[in-house]
Amino acid sequence: MQANYGYRDGSGEYYITIDTDKCDSCGKCVEACPSKILVMVSDPFDPMSDADIPIVIEAERKKIKYTCGPCKPVDKEREEPCIKACEPRAITHSW
Amino acid sequence: MATEDSEYWRWKEYNWKDPEMDWKDAEFITAGVDVGSVSSQAVITLDSKLFAYSNMRTGSNSPDSARNAMNWALEDTGLDLEKIQYVVGTGYGRVNVPFADRAITEIACHGRGANYMYGPTVRTVLDMGGQDCKAIRTDEKGKVTAFLMNDKCAAGTGRGMEVFADLLGIHIEKVGEESFKVEKEPPAVSSTCVVFAKSEATGLLRAGWPKNKVLAAYCSAMAHRVVTLLERLGVEKEFAITGGIAKNSGVVKRIEKELGLTALDVNLDTQIAGALGGALFAEALAKKAQKQG
Amino acid sequence: MYVAGIDMGAKFVKVVILDDGEIKGKGMAPTGFDLDEAANSAFNSALENAGIQKDDLKHITSTGAGKKEVDFRNTEVTEVGAAAKGAISLFPGSRTIIEVGAEEGRALRSDENGRVLDFVINEKCAAGAGAFTEAMARALEIPVTEMGALSLKSAKETPMNAQCAVFAESEVVSLVHSKTSKEDIARAIHDAIASRISSMVRRLSIEKDVTLIGGLAKNIGFVESLKRDLNMDINVPDDPDFVGALGAALVARKKAKEG
Ligand code: SF4
Ligand code: SF4
């Protein structure tokens, strides 16, 4: 499943995409995120499955542009910790 | 907050039941309750078949809204809550459904509900609600393969449309037909942001545009915005539109035109997709629980 | 030698006339829906204020969202360029400059000559710009000019969940219904926008001094919230909304000298 968390508003498109088919449930992204906006939970999008997947917590989905801002400095080379921590490369950002 | 005291945006509230069905013949009686930010629905299914439902405006308190919707769906069915074996709560207020056995995300429920309503060939479901917009791709079983949501920004939601209907003094249910009463389709309103689009519209009215033309320009802007959102997900046939905006032909027809696809049609109230999916999951979960003893 | 800078903002047109680096006249007019009319009206009031004729001007530089709409411009400069030049001329120590106008928020880093090093723009979402406080003031039913002073009376943090001006309006209305005081709500509104602006600024490596310009800088409640959020002192000029026009005028002066 391609799970897209975030939004599009008048200023642009901000989505964190987690490909749960690639995710191996290791939880490293959750540990890596300095703002603690990722959590591991039993797949909320498939009630018949018991697999654990990382999700962006609900309260943060409306402001990831701001919360993730410090991980995306304009004046330095960027490497978002969540993306870097994920070995199977299951996480991408739209901005 | 002009919308607070105007009635422009109110949808009709109602309930329905299938007179041909009798719950006494059913093995599994389950229900789904979708407490949305604007409207709430309750659906009762008998052995995976739609039996009864209600659709009403959400009140200020989620548990009460859930109870009211459920009671209304039960009305005249001869059923009472006790006889329902499993209840799933979904929607924005899903954790506040006091009598639910489990809460399931609206994304999962919508995928499942649309699969029932439109049949297993449906692959992309666009749900436009009062305060959010979501797009879901599902497989032939109604399992979610991709989703995307937008509940941050009022543009592209029912709320954005309400603001416009209110500004123009056009009844929300008339928005569709009114928006087609133009000689030529005007260019879309250029601002995405509802706040800025509103000042743009005020400018257009001042420049002498008739209301219908401004409305048409906003409907196109909204359609375009939804299509851009859908592009992130990829649209696969068959395609369906659910939620409150599905009743607004002014937006729906323009989305279809931009996508070059016709949305599937169905003879059911599309606003119940989430609650219906909830009721179907409720049955699957009841069966699972039974098996596990 | 007279030169002029004209800032075609989303809400107001501002004009500054310089005579050898010194401000000689200012003019302002609401942008409205006729940009030509607005530009001329602001421009004429600045000429009158300076007591000169249009022909006395050697060079006119435009900036702002509608900078290309000014027929009588000689050159134009970007908004960030004008902000940097203007802010540095007022506070030479400025290295980080934040500008919040009606429709856009911007932050930039500048060197001591007003050369822009990096910038971030938060555009066209009312939740991240001055239009936010205006919409909220309407929902609170108090004049936007009173919002700042009102919020300073509150010592309480009230969280606001909505990240959209439209949804935030309903949230403000329900806060009013739940008997939250207008002071606390005003503070919550300024805290909310300040937190969005400061997260935008944090994408830059913030270097001191920090200078805040643009129309929202006139709102003391917002300035306080922003200081608190960034945890540092901020320079605010007297006429923060004219800094863009001033920057454009400084560019005009340079161009005029270069011939
Ligand atoms: S970009 Fe940073 S804050 Fe955002 S999810 Fe990744 S690690 Fe967390
Ligand atoms: S762009 Fe406008 S409508 Fe969208 S979130 Fe921002 S303020 Fe709200």
Side-chain angles (χ1 to χ4, degrees), chain B residues 63-291:
Chain B
D64 286 347
S65 303
R67 247 180 249 120
N68 292 342
M70 193 69 232
N71 288 339
W72 212 22
L74 286 166
E75 202 175 82
D76 298 331
T77 60
L79 263 173
D80 53 46
L81 192 55
E82 311 288 82
K83 298 199 182 67
I84 297 180
Q85 289 139 309
Y86 203 105
V87 180
V88 161
T90 186
Y92 151 92
R94 63 180 175 275
V95 292
N96 289 315
V97 180
F99 47 90
D101 298 281
R102 182 161 164 188
I104 297 178
T105 59
E106 54 261 57
I107 301 277
C109 289
H110 256 99
R112 187 69 188 81
N115 178 271
Y116 177 100
M117 291 175 98
Y118 297 98
T121 53
V122 71
R123 286 294 166 278
T124 312
V125 184
L126 170 66
D127 179 71
M128 294 189 287
Q131 300 202 4
D132 63 7
C133 172
K134 22 185 192 293
I136 305 167
R137 288 185 41 183
T138 67
D139 66 9
E140 68 288 349
K141 294 204 179 73
K143 189 168 141 11
V144 177
T145 56
F147 74 85
L148 164 159
M149 183 140 167
N150 190 5
D151 60 353
K152 185 257 180 184
C153 173
T157 69
R159 190 54 205 284
M161 194 44 94
E162 286 173 5
V163 168
F164 260 76
D166 197 64
L167 175 78
L168 299 171
I170 293 173
H171 195 294
I172 190 90
E173 291 188 50
K174 298 252 160 63
V175 161
E177 53 180 285
E178 292 296 321
S179 78
F180 290 114
K181 291 185 187 157
V182 285
E183 277 165 33
K184 213 176 106 227
E185 187 74 7
V189 168
S190 68
S191 318
T192 297
C193 177
V194 177
V195 177
F196 301 143
K198 227 172 111 179
S199 23
E200 203 179 318
T202 314
L204 293 173
L205 289 170
R206 213 169 286 176
W209 280 38
K211 281 184 192 176
N212 296 9
K213 195 171 163 190
V214 176
L215 188 65
Y218 188 67
C219 286
S220 314
M222 183 150 167
H224 178 68
R225 178 178 162 80
V226 171
V227 169
T228 354
L229 206 65
L230 274 172
E231 274 159 8
R232 157 149 296 276
L233 207 67
V235 181
E236 203 186 321
K237 284 211 277 191
E238 305 280 338
F239 166 66
I241 304 182
T242 64
I245 301 284
K247 295 177 180 168
N248 182 331
S249 59
V251 176
V252 171
K253 293 228 173 83
R254 288 177 173 93
I255 292 177
E256 291 181 332
K257 196 171 156 211
E258 206 174 325
L259 283 176
L261 279 178
T262 312
L264 291 172
D265 213 359
V266 72
N267 226 347
L268 280 171
D269 183 347
T270 58
Q271 272 181 290
I272 65 165
L276 175 59
L280 297 170
F281 274 129
E283 183 170 323
L285 291 163
K287 282 183 183 153
K288 198 172 160 190
Q290 214 173 51
K291 239 184 255 162

Side-chain angles (χ1 to χ4, degrees), chain C residues 161-197:
Chain C
N161 299 317
Q163 298 290 328
C164 164
V166 176
F167 293 138
E169 255 181 65
S170 327
E171 203 174 336
V172 164
V173 170
S174 53
L175 283 172
V176 171
H177 285 313
S178 71
K179 303 268 181 286
T180 309
S181 75
K182 290 202 173 183
E183 287 84 3
D184 289 345
I185 301 178
R187 156 114 188 234
I189 291 163
H190 294 137
D191 284 352
I193 176 131
S195 114
R196 288 191 279 273
I197 297 295

Side-chain angles (χ1 to χ4, degrees), chain A residues 16 29 32-38 56 64 67-72 80-83 91 93 95:
Chain A
I16 295 179
C29 54
C33 173
S35 303
K36 304 269 171 272
I37 70 166
L38 303 169
V56 175
I64 56 170
T67 311
C68 297
C71 292
K72 298 171 179 289
E80 294 85 343
C82 51
I83 296 179
I91 304 180
H93 288 210
W95 80 110

